[in-house]
Amino acid sequence: MSKPRIVRAPRGAELSCKGWVQEAALRMLMNNLDPEVAEDPDRLVVYGGSGRAARSWESFDRIVSTLRELEEDETLLVQSGKPVAVFRTHADAPRVLIANSNLVGKWANWEHFRELERQGLMMYGQMTAGSWIYIGTQGILQGTYETFAEAARQKFGGDLKGRLVLTAGLGGMGGAQPLAATMNGAACLVAEVDARRAQRRVETRYVDRVSEDLEEALRWVLEAKEAGEALSVGVVANAVDVYEGLLERGVVPDVVTDQTSAHDPLNGYVPAGMSLAKAETLREEDPERYVAASKASMARHVAAMVAFMDAGSVVFDYGNNIRQEALGEGVKRAFDFPGFVPAFIRPLFCEGSGPFRWVALSGDEEDIFKTDEALKALFPEKTSLHRWLDLARERVAFQGLPARICWLGYGERAKAGLMFNEMVARGELKAPIVIGRDHLDSGSVASPNRETEGMKDGSDAVADWPILNALVNAVNGASWVSFHHGGGVGMGYSLHAGQVIVADGTEAAARRLERVLTSDPGMGVVRHADAGYERAREVARERGVRIPGVTE
Amino acid sequence: MSKPRIVRAPRGAELSCKGWVQEAALRMLMNNLDPEVAEDPDRLVVYGGSGRAARSWESFDRIVSTLRELEEDETLLVQSGKPVAVFRTHADAPRVLIANSNLVGKWANWEHFRELERQGLMMYGQMTAGSWIYIGTQGILQGTYETFAEAARQKFGGDLKGRLVLTAGLGGMGGAQPLAATMNGAACLVAEVDARRAQRRVETRYVDRVSEDLEEALRWVLEAKEAGEALSVGVVANAVDVYEGLLERGVVPDVVTDQTSAHDPLNGYVPAGMSLAKAETLREEDPERYVAASKASMARHVAAMVAFMDAGSVVFDYGNNIRQEALGEGVKRAFDFPGFVPAFIRPLFCEGSGPFRWVALSGDEEDIFKTDEALKALFPEKTSLHRWLDLARERVAFQGLPARICWLGYGERAKAGLMFNEMVARGELKAPIVIGRDHLDSGSVASPNRETEGMKDGSDAVADWPILNALVNAVNGASWVSFHHGGGVGMGYSLHAGQVIVADGTEAAARRLERVLTSDPGMGVVRHADAGYERAREVARERGVRIPGVTE
Ligand SMILES: NC(=O)c1ccc[n+]([C@@H]2O[C@H](COP(=O)([O-])OP(=O)(O)OC[C@H]3O[C@@H](n4cnc5c(N)ncnc54)[C@H](O)[C@@H]3O)[C@@H](O)[C@H]2O)c1
Ligand SMILES: NC(=O)c1ccc[n+]([C@@H]2O[C@H](COP(=O)([O-])OP(=O)(O)OC[C@H]3O[C@@H](n4cnc5c(N)ncnc54)[C@H](O)[C@@H]3O)[C@@H](O)[C@H]2O)c1
């Protein structure tokens, strides 16, 4: 039995477990391993390097059989992807508690982890792989959409209509940029040095058009911008040539960023003035010269971004470490423009806003479309949410069980969760809804090189917060709660918590939903208020988050 | 208001909070700062270096005022000794959730911690300081008693009557050895190089007699041993001279260990053949020569211990790292005898056995004496428990609120907790009882240099276990739950969880007690069963701890 096989979650309203919460855990574990969802299902790898759903096929089978027998007052404990205990708890307790990849600080590195993994003692859970709530690539698109939307809200009164976005890189993450930009109404020009990559993005409709000629590409986007039309254009060229080319022509985009693979100056970034073919041979023949050329190119790249900033563009770093490399090359003003987390994500975190996702256990896409509509009716004022939901329906292909993601804040999440529960209760949906989130959220992660970089008070590395988050969500009755180490940025660099809660239409679920979907984003407001963010304190005061010494 | 002052917990049956659980948290926080209990109450330091109960006096005041107002369906969150949030939860939830001193792995060191502490962003919680369940020095004595008792159970059929224990060191920890040995019925000879230290231990009745003459001291203990009398004798001499002296005379003690301060070869250990006065000057004048002499002496010290082992003694290392130093000096067989954790503590951990403690909120000593008697009646077969309780009553002075500690295992803890709750319900005790424990317990700590050193499967550094422990105890309704970093062995070296639960005599408390006092030691059985300890698997099978793949 315990061998690789094709796994797909059951669909429909029939239970194979003794309750919907257990059934939800079972289906979501299986869904994480669905070939439509998982990167390497045979090896139980869901996404993100080696992020796994279970430690081994034997553990998978034991988790499944235990969930099938689990009573409504029992809880299964999972330790790094292996089921290790069943304890009697109570009806309002989580049905599953999960701890993945956690190591004592001194041993919190890849070497020790890999040794334990080799001996079958541990598993890497990433964020949503080991906590059974990965929903495919929709999350990347939505995260990028949300970043542009927040920029639009902060700087352009709500959307990017009639605005020009300049960026570069059409790779795994970066490829979401043009679609996320047009979803916000922008005209978007993207430089990509690799023609095949650009072409692939046209085929999947993430980019509208491609040109090999900067003149032509620029004409297209400027016309679209003037007409207030959303249009994305890939230009097959080095980003440096494109950025400097626009500066020479006096074209000042409204937004400038970059997602070339600058984190890797040898195997990622392609230096200006070098063809792709030349780059490939030089990498082999003279890696040192290659890296030197890359870094020199990044210096020009960042200098151009600073020049755009001086000319009035909204410029930000998109997490590829290009500022650091440029600084090393003597670009003193490299850090004059901010990273995307402090600029656009942290203000959302201050409102308890973060990635709210839900899945239709029925397996029926109609259930998601109904929730889309209901959510729009619930939040008539959230225009960028409306735009996202409409475009997601049109452009996002479901992977595995139909799912949706959008960012909601403190107050909104509880409201949405209760509404979904009522829809299930009224029979408007064909089966219960599972509500979860990424561990990357406002009050659930300590990750000094990413989510908690540059906290106002210097508390980047303080990890009490995700622990309190896991504890309060578990206590409040989340369906399953997870606590992981090393997600996103690797061993030693992050600690983070997840929660998933099932809306099965019962009164009991409504009580739990209300509590968990309040305390969970509440932790985000509290964490940021404690770090001194005034907006978080305002939100606490306005929406009734109780903070001793601040609101009382 | 927020200034140092003398704090003492309220006594009696009158509430100053809205429920007994809140009241218990309030009293136990205050009790930790009682001058009888705390080492440096003005600085909020309870014990163990800088282990604090609250981050500042301002935080202390805010915790107190929040607890006084806290409703029966609310939970206070404490982050490194500071109250940071109040969330609505429910009646069966913990009233307080605590996370202290937790840092992301890469930053998990004293330097980063001290910097955050200096900025007022963190606090060191040790184990029971920041989790409001320290009860003074009774714990050290009991831990040592339990170690000797386990040795007695394993090797001598239950007690040490008619047995000779040889050890050394009458310092802060080591001074508990002679009393713990006589409490187990032994004749005990302790070498201590410092006459004043030995004398102080006579005054506090931890040692019965002292002699400067090995011949005399040996006669006393051998006579006691023959007569089956419990007697402890301190001999003012270097441990090496005493150990070698006994070997020369052909005296083979039944048990041999050592708690000289061998962890510190410069400022702790005194080399053989050196007077105390000489030692003090040489430390100053030629520290290198001093250390060399220390290490050479430790080599003889350990060689003597190995010789005792060969002659038939039960020999173990008592956590002072003396084997490591001797090995470094070429004593190849230094690690032939085991450390005390694998030898005597881990077998107890395999049974879910660990430090169970309780406190009488009435403040009345009679309440503790009644629980002592009730516990003896509940476990008529546990003879070493009876001996401990009788002697503790006679020998242990209470500090702060009257408290008791003893080790109980899986099954026993729930039984004891429910009995205490019934005693409260029947009005036999004057107020509720608080039940807690050290974080040093069977399923609640990952500490590769101490509690989880040398785990059978090499999983010493795996920290999923204490996280699952904290989560399941919180879910099951412990009154307060804590998760700390760095207790016992310092920053970067440990992660551990605590739980405290109140027996207020209600039905609801009985349900919570039964659940928590089952899942908490259950985690110990599970953790050790998973690591491959056969005894833990037996205990799981015999007592109904459910482990997928092992019991089902
Ligand atoms: N924002 C975030 O949270 C986040 C998350 C993950 C990754 N990143 C960073 O974003 C970057 C992109 O990630 P990805 O997964 O898309 O990488 P990728 O390697 O899949 O794609 C990078 C693309 O950039 C192109 N490129 C390289 N140099 C170029 C140049 N000089 N001009 C034009 N195009 C060039 C490559 O041809 C490739 O298509 C990485 O540095 C990554 O570390 C950011
Ligand atoms: N078992 C545990 O879990 C545990 C816990 C904490 C500490 N320890 C270790 O136990 C040791 C003792 O701890 P402590 O707090 O009592 O230390 P301490 O420094 O208070 O006392 C050590 C005593 O040993 C005496 N001494 C030193 N060298 C001697 C020698 N050669 N012969 C005779 N006496 C000598 C000193 O005079 C002193 O009284 C330490 O090494 C400590 O690290 C073990």
Side-chain angles (χ1 to χ4, degrees):
Chain A
M1 180 67 178
S2 291
K3 269 187 273 179
R5 76 209 76 140
I6 289 175
V7 172
R8 197 167 168 267
R11 267 72 176 163
E14 208 154 305
L15 285 174
S16 66
C17 297
K18 296 182 176 179
W20 269 110
V21 177
Q22 299 92 306
E23 181 76 22
L26 181 97
R27 292 192 189 185
M28 292 306 297
L29 163 62
M30 291 181 167
N31 194 57
N32 261 13
L33 293 170
D34 187 317
E36 281 183 28
V37 176
E39 268 174 24
D40 186 355
D42 282 1
R43 292 174 53 237
L44 298 138
V45 169
V46 182
Y47 80 102
S50 59
R52 286 190 163 73
R55 201 190 296 180
S56 64
W57 282 102
E58 195 187 353
S59 287
F60 170 82
D61 284 333
R62 284 223 181 95
I63 293 170
V64 167
S65 63
T66 307
L67 285 173
R68 287 214 173 106
E69 296 303 317
L70 202 72
E71 300 289 343
E72 293 277 65
D73 65 349
E74 292 178 340
T75 296
L76 165 65
L77 272 54
V78 174
Q79 182 262 323
S80 283
K82 177 182 174 186
V84 293
V86 174
F87 285 108
R88 198 166 67 72
T89 53
H90 55 89
D92 271 341
R95 293 283 74 82
V96 189
L97 295 169
I98 300 172
N100 284 327
S101 336
N102 295 287
L103 289 166
V104 178
K106 190 76 182 176
W107 293 264
N109 55 60
W110 280 115
E111 294 65 46
H112 195 77
F113 173 81
R114 292 285 178 225
E115 178 57 28
L116 291 167
E117 190 186 38
R118 205 187 49 71
Q119 292 171 47
L121 294 171
M122 273 214 140
M123 172 194 93
Y124 184 46
Q126 261 289 8
M127 289 187 159
T128 52
S131 57
W132 312 342
I133 187 74
Y134 186 63
I135 57 164
T137 56
Q138 186 177 165
I140 290 166
L141 178 61
Q142 209 278 333
T144 313
Y145 174 83
E146 202 60 49
T147 302
F148 286 139
E150 177 63 17
R153 276 190 295 269
Q154 280 186 27
K155 312 282 183 178
F156 306 105
D159 67 33
L160 297 177
K161 193 173 145 90
R163 306 290 171 177
L164 176 61
V165 172
L166 172 66
T167 186
L170 287 173
M173 304 281 303
Q177 296 179 103
L179 180 52
T182 55
M183 280 179 153
N184 276 290
C188 177
L189 180 66
V190 196
E192 166 58 59
V193 77
D194 185 341
R196 284 161 315 170
R197 293 253 193 167
Q199 203 46 50
R200 204 177 313 146
R201 288 296 177 178
V202 175
E203 282 153 24
T204 56
R205 295 172 61 215
Y206 270 59
V207 165
D208 296 318
R209 289 193 217 163
V210 168
S211 171
E212 307 256 330
D213 174 29
L214 177 57
E215 224 37 81
E216 182 182 53
L218 197 54
R219 200 173 60 242
W220 291 343
V221 287
L222 288 176
E223 279 171 14
K225 174 189 143 100
E226 285 316 308
E229 279 168 16
L231 177 80
S232 62
V233 176
V235 56
V236 181
N238 195 292
V240 175
D241 297 328
V242 173
Y243 288 29
E244 290 180 350
L246 262 66
L247 282 169
E248 274 160 30
R249 287 170 180 80
V251 177
V252 180
D254 299 282
V255 175
V256 178
T257 187
D258 171 65
Q259 273 201 44
T260 57
S261 35
H263 70 283
D264 185 346
L266 178 59
N267 293 308
Y269 192 83
V270 178
M274 203 179 285
S275 72
L276 211 57
K278 175 78 209 283
E280 265 151 38
T281 54
L282 188 64
R283 275 170 179 154
E284 292 288 311
E285 284 166 11
D286 193 345
E288 270 183 48
R289 226 184 88 209
Y290 188 93
V291 167
S294 261
K295 291 186 173 179
S297 177
M298 288 188 218
R300 281 170 60 192
H301 198 144
V302 169
M305 293 172 81
V306 173
F308 282 124
M309 188 188 70
D310 289 342
S313 304
V314 171
V315 182
F316 62 95
D317 169 297
Y318 215 147
N320 63 359
N321 213 24
I322 196 165
R323 291 174 301 173
Q324 190 65 49
E325 295 288 6
L327 184 70
E329 290 291 295
V331 181
K332 290 211 177 61
R333 295 182 59 205
F335 279 84
D336 275 15
F337 57 88
F340 77 108
V341 171
F344 303 119
I345 302 298
R346 195 151 299 146
L348 295 171
F349 281 174
C350 287
E351 315 212 352
S353 199
F356 180 88
R357 58 180 63 173
W358 63 102
V359 181
L361 288 180
S362 64
D364 192 324
E365 305 192 347
E366 279 305 318
D367 277 3
I368 291 298
F369 299 146
K370 281 183 189 155
T371 57
D372 285 345
E373 292 311 313
L375 212 59
K376 281 159 63 183
L378 190 65
F379 300 115
E381 75 294 353
K382 288 182 77 98
T383 50
S384 91
L385 173 74
H386 284 234
R387 206 162 41 232
W388 161 256
L389 291 173
D390 290 340
L391 287 161
R393 173 164 182 169
E394 194 193 316
R395 302 296 284 270
V396 173
F398 291 125
Q399 298 167 262
L401 289 170
R404 184 66 77 221
I405 179 171
C406 68
W407 279 42
L408 293 179
Y410 182 89
E412 297 166 346
R413 297 197 206 184
K415 228 169 140 180
L418 287 171
M419 181 187 69
F420 292 169
N421 198 53
E422 279 159 28
M423 291 172 78
V424 175
R426 285 196 302 265
E428 291 172 30
L429 305 176
K430 297 196 187 68
I433 293 285
V434 161
I435 299 168
R437 59 164 174 78
D438 200 355
H439 291 202
L440 179 168
D441 196 5
S442 65
S444 58
V445 53
S447 184
N449 284 352
R450 208 169 75 177
E451 289 87 345
T452 54
E453 179 181 343
M455 293 295 291
K456 201 169 174 182
D457 62 349
S459 60
D460 310 17
V462 175
D464 295 328
W465 304 100
I467 290 164
L468 290 172
N469 179 265
L471 287 171
V472 75
N473 288 338
V475 156
N476 269 339
S479 300
W480 58 100
V481 170
S482 53
F483 193 88
H484 294 188
H485 164 219
V489 284
M491 289 294 141
Y493 290 91
S494 60
L495 289 166
H496 37 91
Q499 71 82 9
V500 180
I501 184 160
V502 178
D504 63 9
T506 60
E507 281 292 323
R511 279 193 302 273
R512 294 191 295 259
L513 283 159
E514 210 266 326
R515 288 196 304 244
V516 171
L517 295 177
T518 300
S519 61
D520 186 29
M523 283 304 301
V525 176
V526 168
R527 197 269 179 266
H528 289 85
D530 191 73
Y533 291 92
E534 196 39 54
R535 179 66 190 133
R537 292 176 179 215
E538 262 171 45
V539 170
R541 280 186 287 260
E542 286 165 15
R543 306 189 200 168
V545 183
R546 297 178 55 194
I547 306 177
V550 174
T551 67
E552 44 209 58
Chain B
M1 181 67 180
S2 291
K3 269 187 272 179
R5 76 209 76 142
I6 289 175
V7 171
R8 198 167 168 267
R11 267 71 175 161
E14 208 154 306
L15 284 174
S16 66
C17 297
K18 296 182 175 176
W20 269 110
V21 176
Q22 300 92 305
E23 182 76 22
L26 181 97
R27 292 192 188 184
M28 292 307 296
L29 163 62
M30 291 181 168
N31 193 57
N32 261 12
L33 294 170
D34 187 317
E36 282 183 26
V37 175
E39 269 174 23
D40 186 354
D42 282 0
R43 292 174 52 235
L44 299 138
V45 169
V46 183
Y47 79 102
S50 60
R52 284 190 164 74
R55 201 189 297 179
S56 64
W57 282 102
E58 196 186 353
S59 287
F60 170 82
D61 284 333
R62 283 224 181 94
I63 294 170
V64 167
S65 63
T66 306
L67 285 173
R68 288 213 173 107
E69 296 303 317
L70 201 72
E71 299 290 342
E72 294 277 65
D73 64 350
E74 292 179 339
T75 296
L76 165 65
L77 272 56
V78 174
Q79 181 262 323
S80 284
K82 177 181 174 185
V84 293
V86 174
F87 284 109
R88 198 166 67 72
T89 53
H90 55 91
D92 272 340
R95 292 283 74 82
V96 189
L97 294 168
I98 299 171
N100 284 328
S101 337
N102 295 286
L103 289 166
V104 178
K106 191 76 181 174
W107 293 264
N109 56 60
W110 281 115
E111 294 66 46
H112 194 78
F113 173 80
R114 292 285 178 224
E115 178 57 26
L116 291 167
E117 190 186 37
R118 205 186 49 72
Q119 291 172 48
L121 294 171
M122 274 213 137
M123 173 194 92
Y124 184 47
Q126 261 290 8
M127 290 188 159
T128 52
S131 57
W132 312 343
I133 187 73
Y134 186 65
I135 57 164
T137 57
Q138 186 176 165
I140 291 165
L141 178 61
Q142 209 279 332
T144 313
Y145 174 83
E146 201 60 47
T147 302
F148 286 138
E150 177 62 18
R153 277 189 294 268
Q154 280 186 28
K155 312 282 182 178
F156 306 105
D159 66 33
L160 296 176
K161 193 174 146 89
R163 307 290 171 178
L164 176 62
V165 173
L166 172 67
T167 187
L170 287 173
M173 305 280 303
Q177 296 179 103
L179 180 52
T182 55
M183 280 179 155
N184 276 290
C188 177
L189 180 66
V190 197
E192 166 58 59
V193 77
D194 184 340
R196 283 161 315 169
R197 293 254 192 167
Q199 204 45 51
R200 203 176 312 145
R201 289 296 177 179
V202 175
E203 283 152 22
T204 57
R205 295 172 58 214
Y206 270 59
V207 165
D208 296 319
R209 289 191 219 165
V210 168
S211 171
E212 307 257 329
D213 175 27
L214 178 57
E215 225 36 82
E216 181 182 52
L218 198 53
R219 200 174 60 244
W220 291 343
V221 287
L222 289 176
E223 279 170 16
K225 175 190 144 100
E226 285 316 309
E229 278 169 18
L231 177 81
S232 62
V233 176
V235 56
V236 181
N238 195 292
V240 175
D241 297 327
V242 173
Y243 288 29
E244 291 179 351
L246 263 66
L247 284 167
E248 274 161 28
R249 287 169 179 81
V251 177
V252 180
D254 299 281
V255 175
V256 179
T257 187
D258 172 64
Q259 273 201 42
T260 57
S261 34
H263 70 283
D264 185 345
L266 178 59
N267 293 307
Y269 192 83
V270 178
M274 204 179 285
S275 72
L276 209 58
K278 174 81 208 280
E280 266 152 37
T281 54
L282 189 64
R283 276 170 180 155
E284 292 287 311
E285 284 166 10
D286 194 346
E288 271 183 47
R289 227 183 89 208
Y290 188 93
V291 167
S294 261
K295 290 187 174 178
S297 176
M298 288 188 217
R300 281 170 61 191
H301 197 145
V302 169
M305 292 172 80
V306 172
F308 282 125
M309 187 188 71
D310 289 341
S313 304
V314 172
V315 182
F316 62 94
D317 170 295
Y318 216 149
N320 64 359
N321 213 25
I322 197 165
R323 291 174 300 171
Q324 190 65 50
E325 295 289 4
L327 184 71
E329 291 291 296
V331 181
K332 290 212 176 60
R333 295 182 58 206
F335 279 85
D336 276 14
F337 58 87
F340 76 108
V341 171
F344 302 119
I345 302 298
R346 197 150 298 146
L348 295 171
F349 281 174
C350 287
E351 314 212 352
S353 199
F356 180 89
R357 57 181 63 174
W358 65 102
V359 180
L361 289 180
S362 64
D364 192 322
E365 305 191 347
E366 279 305 318
D367 278 2
I368 290 298
F369 299 145
K370 281 184 189 155
T371 56
D372 284 346
E373 293 311 311
L375 211 59
K376 281 158 63 183
L378 190 66
F379 300 115
E381 74 293 354
K382 288 183 78 96
T383 50
S384 91
L385 173 74
H386 285 233
R387 205 162 40 231
W388 161 256
L389 291 173
D390 290 342
L391 288 161
R393 174 166 181 167
E394 194 192 315
R395 302 296 284 267
V396 173
F398 291 126
Q399 298 168 263
L401 289 170
R404 184 66 76 222
I405 179 170
C406 69
W407 279 41
L408 293 179
Y410 182 89
E412 297 166 346
R413 297 198 207 185
K415 228 169 140 181
L418 287 170
M419 181 187 69
F420 292 168
N421 198 52
E422 280 159 27
M423 291 172 77
V424 175
R426 285 196 302 265
E428 291 172 30
L429 305 176
K430 297 195 187 67
I433 293 284
V434 162
I435 299 169
R437 59 165 173 78
D438 199 356
H439 291 202
L440 179 167
D441 195 5
S442 67
S444 58
V445 54
S447 184
N449 284 352
R450 207 169 75 176
E451 289 87 345
T452 54
E453 178 181 344
M455 292 295 291
K456 200 169 175 181
D457 61 349
S459 60
D460 308 17
V462 175
D464 294 329
W465 304 100
I467 290 164
L468 291 172
N469 179 265
L471 287 171
V472 75
N473 288 338
V475 157
N476 269 339
S479 300
W480 59 100
V481 169
S482 53
F483 193 88
H484 294 188
H485 164 220
V489 284
M491 290 293 141
Y493 290 91
S494 61
L495 289 167
H496 36 91
Q499 72 82 8
V500 179
I501 185 161
V502 178
D504 63 9
T506 60
E507 281 292 323
R511 280 193 301 273
R512 292 192 296 259
L513 283 159
E514 210 266 327
R515 288 196 305 246
V516 171
L517 294 177
T518 300
S519 60
D520 187 29
M523 282 304 302
V525 177
V526 168
R527 197 269 178 265
H528 289 84
D530 190 73
Y533 291 91
E534 196 39 54
R535 179 65 190 133
R537 292 175 180 216
E538 262 171 43
V539 170
R541 279 186 287 261
E542 286 165 15
R543 306 190 200 169
V545 183
R546 297 178 56 194
I547 305 177
V550 173
T551 67
E552 44 209 58

